[in-house]
Amino acid sequence: MRSIRRVAVLGAGTMGSRIAAHFANAGIPALLLDIVLPGADRNAAAKKGIETSWKGKPGGYFTDSGPSLVTPGNFEDDLHKLADCDWIIEAITEKLDLKRDLWGKVEKIRSADSIVSTNTSGIPLSLISEGFTPEFRRHFLGTHFFNPPRYLRLCEVIPGAETDPAILSGVSEFLDRRLGKGVVPCKDTPNFIANRIGAFWGSTTFQYTVSDGFTIEEVDALTGSLIGLPNSASFRLIDIVGADIWVHVGNNLHAAVPDDPWRDRFLAHPIFEEMLRRNWLGDKTGQGFFKRVGPSKDIHAMNLQTFEYALAARPKFASVEQAKMLEDLPARLRAMVASTDKAGQFLWKLFRDVMVYSAERVPEISDTIVEIDRAMRWGYAHTFGPFELWDALGFAETAKRIEADGLALPASVQKMLSLGAKSFYRSADEAGAPRTDYFDLGRSLYARVPERSGVIALGDVKRARGVVKKNAGCSLVDIGDGVLCVEFHSKMNSLGDDQMSQIYSAFDEAKKGFQGVVIGNQGDLFSAGANLAMVLMVAQEGEWEDLNLAIHRFQQAIMAIKYAPVPVVVAAHGRALGGGCEIILHGPRVQASAELYAGLVEVGVGLIPGGGGCKELIARYGDPKKAFELIGFAKVSTSAANAKEIGLLDASAGISMNPDRLIADARAEAAAMASSYRPSTPRNDVKVAGEPGVALLKMGAWMAHQGGYITDYDLEIAGKLAHVLCGGRLSAESLVSEQYLLDLEREAFLSLCGDPRTQARMQHMLKTGKPLRN
């Protein structure tokens, strides 16, 4: 397969423009073409797509410079430019005649070995490519991205009848490594895998909502994070997608699967038809199942019987309140379906139908359960796919309950039971190496889940070989190649003594034979920062010596990372806030996930960074104004690339597009550094501006205060921040040590902790998750 250096995307609508944006995120120039609209600018449609994907919420680009890699054009003037493209992706409207007409024009222009793929979600590939040359068909396949491509990881790869296997594997590898996609091979069946199961999930949810008399608020409360789904849940998701799209997909799927015994589930309910008649399509028309009302943008929800809106209620179910106390998701799911109340029965019926339906679709839509589970995790952001869900609920007891409800188990599952199988997945670790088997429903036996080269799953590694050392909030894990991983696993990966003590332990263990250390985890976020509840409690109790000692220990552990005896690579992902960001700043090397939201956000709780954040920004960049703005406005990066732009990552930081590869990439970096690594020593030559610099920074803060941008207390905090960043009470520009600046940080942090206004901010953040402007 030829190298992918330049791509073309045909169609600049919601999908096509965001596919082009994500290629730009990977540093690959894209040509974006669309129709010519009436008016002077013949590229207006493509330009609008670029702007929409740039300014949209959420945005499609990692940085504001991303759109410069996308060139707009049109189908009438610019098709000849496709001859210079290595990959041409079609993402126009789902009409077969339009697609075939466009591909007919492309076939005459493209270079002979260029890849050609369609993003169709519902039209068989065989119909699209019929009649084209054998050479075209060898290079033709389906690449079904999920929207938005930047955030939803799934890309379903569908071979045509004549697709060259080398093209198929090459494209899959590229999607995985360069675009960060979770690649799932699919058959050329209607809606492929994820949308087939996802449409059934959604339509089943709607059926039981109506038949069992639920409100949309109640169902969204039941089908979001409570059960391991995104917060968009069910009806909020339809508003995002668009009710018209939802109906179109369901009706098309109903027509395309005449032999599916469940197909009537896909037909649009009369409620949807009425919403379409009123043009209540969701977010794009300003109202759907929900709408925002008034200057305060209060959320109102639609009554499914009357079509009237009222302020959205906060539903409460006793079983839900009890289940929320269970942090372990499988335990929470089991508790919910065991409940006999209305909520428990709703979830049981939903899960039951989806699990049975998914099992019946093997081997129709997929030869194995693995692809179905991955498709739902990567495409719909479900924590568990249908078969993983079945295992979490208990395989045998769930099967027995399904039969007790009068539903027939698929023959393949009955065979599983007769063979004594206990689960769809089982561990098959060998000599300390993690391995997993899945039950092959087609062959009625366990088979090995293929290993994904370059992917390390910390949970599997710990299962296979245990841990080197562990406490309640942190573990040391041998991840191979002589590298030790410091894995945080406290709530929200907050930082305290557990994590700091294990960082020191990692360096002690390194002396016994490890050549490098990775600091990383595979939780939802890297770290939310210091344990705020603990800081508040100690401050309210006036235990100042204890708090001073805790901050000092934190600072010294951070410095131990910076000047470690072995290479340390910080594998940062997701949110890395406050102390989490300070760990990044002090890492000798950082390997970041492309989606990194890092920031020193302490001012939001009435504090300034106390773990070396102020010190490190001044030591690294020598610009107190830049550091003052970064900290004072609590700027958070919008991506790893943006973190480099604003100065929270240095130029040497690596970026992993695929989050599954982050830990392995960091391990490789640590191992590569080992032979030439020499630890440095703390600096005594950090240049600070002194009192003249403090005065300038305070003037800027005062102007912001006069403009009404910051409160009186924000102004006081800004003064303390300026004092630290400029080196305190020094009459002129001076050179100071890192420890000197750390002492200033700790002093300011402690003084702010003692202020009732800061304590009020901390309490408010812990209670509401939002900053208090006092």
Side-chain angles (χ1 to χ4, degrees):
M1 189 184 86
R2 67 193 285 177
S3 298
I4 307 298
R5 294 164 297 185
R6 182 176 174 81
V7 303
V9 181
L10 310 180
T14 299
M15 201 65 236
S17 63
R18 283 163 174 77
I19 292 172
H22 200 53
F23 274 97
N25 289 335
I28 299 163
L31 176 66
L32 181 63
L33 305 183
D34 210 309
I35 61 173
V36 176
L37 296 173
D41 190 344
R42 293 176 64 80
N43 295 335
K47 288 179 178 178
K48 182 181 179 182
I50 294 170
E51 182 178 17
T52 300
S53 58
W54 175 38
K55 294 183 177 179
K57 301 292 183 183
Y61 291 93
F62 286 165
T63 68
D64 286 344
S65 62
S68 65
L69 281 176
V70 182
T71 302
N74 66 77
F75 295 147
E76 295 180 18
D77 304 326
D78 301 302
L79 279 181
H80 67 278
K81 296 177 182 178
L82 299 181
D84 298 324
C85 295
D86 306 300
W87 185 357
I88 302 165
I89 302 170
E90 170 269 307
I92 66 171
T93 188
E94 289 288 272
K95 293 185 178 179
L96 179 61
D97 57 339
L98 295 180
K99 289 180 184 290
R100 285 183 54 80
D101 179 65
L102 181 57
W103 278 121
K105 296 172 183 176
V106 171
E107 185 182 27
K108 299 171 185 176
I109 297 165
R110 59 177 283 269
S111 61
D113 59 346
S114 63
I115 299 160
V116 283
S117 71
T118 177
N119 188 62
T120 185
S121 59
I123 300 176
L125 270 66
S126 58
L127 297 181
I128 297 175
S129 63
E130 184 180 5
F132 288 102
T133 65
E135 192 279 333
F136 179 94
R137 295 200 298 271
R138 279 197 300 273
H139 289 81
F140 181 73
L141 69 156
T143 48
H144 182 216
F145 292 82
F146 272 62
N147 190 36
R150 172 182 169 182
Y151 299 99
L152 284 181
R153 291 182 53 210
L154 178 63
C155 187
E156 294 176 316
V157 174
I158 309 97
E162 299 173 43
T163 308
D164 184 338
I167 296 294
L168 202 66
S169 62
V171 167
S172 297
E173 182 78 0
F174 182 91
L175 288 165
D176 178 343
R177 293 183 180 272
R178 290 297 302 275
L179 296 188
K181 291 294 159 190
V183 178
V184 170
C186 294
K187 298 182 176 184
D188 192 6
T189 56
N191 285 55
F192 310 128
I193 296 176
N195 280 345
R196 182 74 173 272
I197 303 300
F200 183 82
W201 180 291
S203 60
T204 299
T205 299
F206 194 88
Q207 173 174 304
Y208 289 130
T209 300
V210 175
S211 66
D212 295 2
F214 281 85
T215 67
I216 63 175
E217 301 103 301
E218 288 174 331
V219 170
D220 273 11
L222 292 174
T223 56
S225 58
L226 173 74
I227 61 170
L229 271 60
N231 288 329
S232 51
S234 299
F235 290 97
R236 179 73 192 102
L237 176 63
I238 297 174
D239 276 358
I240 294 169
V241 172
D244 54 336
I245 301 298
W246 194 267
V247 169
H248 175 76
V249 169
N251 288 344
N252 279 2
L253 187 52
H254 177 268
V257 290
D259 297 326
D260 186 337
W262 303 77
R263 66 193 290 254
D264 286 348
R265 289 269 174 103
F266 300 123
L267 284 174
H269 190 278
I271 288 174
F272 277 105
E273 294 173 359
E274 179 61 21
M275 291 177 71
L276 265 60
R277 188 187 69 78
R278 299 185 185 205
N279 202 38
W280 293 358
L281 307 183
D283 290 359
K284 58 188 169 187
T285 59
Q287 68 186 102
F289 289 106
F290 297 96
K291 70 175 181 178
R292 291 188 178 273
V293 176
S296 59
K297 302 292 185 182
D298 293 328
I299 299 174
H300 285 226
M302 189 184 83
N303 184 301
L304 293 173
Q305 283 74 45
T306 66
F307 292 91
E308 295 174 347
Y309 288 90
L311 188 66
R314 292 184 177 273
K316 293 243 179 182
F317 296 100
S319 59
V320 171
E321 298 308 308
Q322 292 177 346
K324 282 181 178 178
M325 299 172 66
L326 300 170
E327 289 191 23
D328 179 66
L329 180 58
R332 193 189 315 149
L333 293 170
R334 290 192 293 272
M336 284 304 307
V337 300
S339 172
T340 57
D341 73 352
K342 185 178 178 183
Q345 290 302 300
F346 174 89
L347 288 176
W348 162 249
K349 289 191 290 186
L350 171 62
F351 293 165
R352 175 198 67 194
D353 290 5
V354 168
M355 291 184 296
V356 170
Y357 185 77
S358 299
E360 288 179 353
R361 302 282 75 73
V362 179
E364 177 195 346
I365 65 173
S366 172
D367 287 329
T368 77
I369 65 173
V370 177
E371 280 75 24
I372 293 177
D373 282 339
R374 287 177 175 173
M376 293 308 293
R377 283 193 279 109
W378 292 338
Y380 280 77
H382 288 199
T383 301
F384 295 136
F387 301 97
E388 294 163 330
L389 172 64
W390 198 327
D391 277 352
L393 297 179
F395 171 66
E397 50 266 53
T398 297
K400 190 178 298 184
R401 186 174 175 184
I402 290 170
E403 289 185 309
D405 281 359
L407 270 72
L409 286 171
S412 56
V413 176
Q414 293 177 18
K415 181 70 171 178
M416 271 186 79
L417 289 165
S418 70
L419 293 172
K422 306 295 184 185
S423 60
F424 286 102
Y425 295 94
R426 68 181 186 186
S427 63
D429 303 330
E430 297 175 342
R435 302 285 185 269
T436 302
D437 287 344
Y438 71 94
F439 196 88
D440 187 322
L441 291 177
R443 297 186 295 161
S444 297
L445 52 79
Y446 279 103
R448 183 64 43 85
V449 174
E451 293 181 51
R452 299 170 63 205
S453 177
V455 172
I456 294 174
L458 290 176
D460 292 349
V461 172
K462 291 190 293 184
R463 183 194 69 210
R465 64 175 74 126
V467 298
V468 174
K469 197 170 183 181
K470 179 180 180 180
N471 60 31
C474 191
S475 294
L476 303 184
V477 185
D478 179 354
I479 55 174
D481 290 351
V483 178
L484 193 63
C485 181
V486 180
E487 181 204 19
F488 305 152
H489 46 69
S490 54
K491 186 174 183 179
M492 298 187 73
N493 289 327
S494 61
L495 304 172
D497 281 346
D498 281 353
Q499 291 73 30
M500 299 307 110
S501 65
Q502 290 290 64
I503 286 170
Y504 282 117
S505 294
F507 300 141
D508 289 339
E509 292 294 333
K511 298 173 185 176
K512 304 174 185 177
F514 290 97
Q515 63 174 339
V517 169
V518 166
I519 299 177
N521 64 77
Q522 292 173 328
D524 292 335
L525 72 169
F526 178 71
S527 173
N531 188 330
L532 188 62
M534 186 64 68
V535 173
L536 176 61
M537 183 183 71
V538 175
Q540 289 177 328
E541 292 177 355
E543 301 290 346
W544 302 115
E545 287 188 14
D546 289 347
L547 187 55
N548 179 57
L549 183 60
I551 300 166
H552 178 73
R553 283 200 300 265
F554 188 95
Q555 290 178 338
Q556 295 312 302
I558 293 289
M559 291 291 281
I561 292 171
K562 184 175 182 179
Y563 300 110
V566 295
V568 176
V569 179
V570 178
H573 73 283
R575 284 176 291 159
L577 305 176
C581 185
E582 287 172 317
I583 290 177
I584 293 173
L585 286 170
H586 288 79
R589 192 66 56 85
V590 177
Q591 184 72 30
S593 176
E595 297 296 344
L596 176 67
Y597 317 117
L600 297 168
V601 297
E602 287 84 351
V603 294
V605 290
L607 297 168
I608 68 166
C614 301
K615 179 271 302 176
E616 191 60 25
L617 287 182
I618 290 298
R620 184 179 294 193
Y621 302 114
D623 183 351
K625 185 174 183 294
K626 178 178 180 179
F628 187 73
E629 291 178 350
L630 198 62
I631 298 169
F633 290 104
K635 291 184 180 179
V636 175
S637 66
T638 57
S639 64
N642 178 243
K644 287 191 175 187
E645 288 185 338
I646 66 177
L648 293 175
L649 288 180
D650 62 30
S652 69
I655 297 179
S656 298
M657 289 292 285
N658 191 326
D660 287 351
R661 297 185 175 278
L662 178 62
I663 296 294
D665 289 347
R667 180 184 69 178
E669 185 64 26
M673 292 169 64
S675 61
S676 59
Y677 178 78
R678 297 293 181 272
S680 54
T681 56
R683 293 177 56 184
N684 294 303
D685 61 347
V686 181
K687 185 184 291 187
V688 293
E691 289 189 337
V694 174
L696 285 173
L697 295 182
K698 283 187 173 181
M699 177 61 72
W702 181 83
M703 292 175 66
H705 178 261
Q706 291 299 105
Y709 297 107
I710 63 175
T711 67
D712 291 346
Y713 192 45
D714 289 330
L715 186 61
E716 286 187 42
I717 297 169
K720 290 183 181 289
L721 177 60
H723 177 81
V724 173
L725 291 174
C726 295
R729 296 182 181 87
L730 299 173
S731 60
E733 188 176 274
S734 306
L735 298 179
V736 300
S737 69
E738 290 187 80
Q739 187 58 53
Y740 174 85
L741 289 172
L742 287 172
D743 291 341
L744 286 180
E745 275 192 39
R746 191 167 70 256
E747 179 186 359
F749 189 94
L750 284 166
S751 69
L752 288 168
C753 282
D755 194 300
R757 292 168 293 182
T758 284
Q759 293 181 16
R761 288 191 179 193
M762 288 193 280
Q763 282 182 317
H764 191 267
M765 178 62 73
L766 289 168
K767 184 177 181 179
T768 69
K770 299 177 181 178
L772 171 68
R773 298 295 306 278
N774 60 353

